[in-house]
Amino acid sequence: MITKEIIRGKVAEVEDPEIGVGLVDLGLIYDIEVLDEKSVYLSMTLTTPGCPYGPALVADVEKAVKSLGVENVEIDVVWDPPWDPVEMASEYAKDVLGIW
């Protein structure tokens, strides 16, 4: 059975190419909902609205989720709440980003 935790673990492998830290550690994945065994909804944000890697990151997240056997992946890129690494990033990501 597919779970939010399994999906989060797979998505955690997707890294921001500029920062070299996973999207989950950065706090860019806001919500994951398993709709059924073959359908998942995910909301995420990007480090900035003009992120040049945005489309590639969304595609990488979709590919990661589909690699688990999920057929339908709906991804919403949202801007509310705005990404705040001080509040949303893991301790590891904060260390890499130099946030003390």
Side-chain angles (χ1 to χ4, degrees), residues 65-86:
V65 175
K66 284 187 171 182
S67 76
L68 297 169
V70 175
E71 294 175 5
N72 305 305
V73 182
E74 180 183 347
I75 299 174
D76 280 333
V77 177
V78 298
W79 306 109
D80 187 34
W83 180 64
D84 180 358
V86 172

Side-chain angles (χ1 to χ4, degrees), residues 14 33 36 59 66 68 70 83 91 94:
V14 178
E33 293 180 36
D36 58 45
K66 284 187 171 182
L68 297 169
V70 175
W83 180 64
E91 293 303 313
K94 289 177 188 176

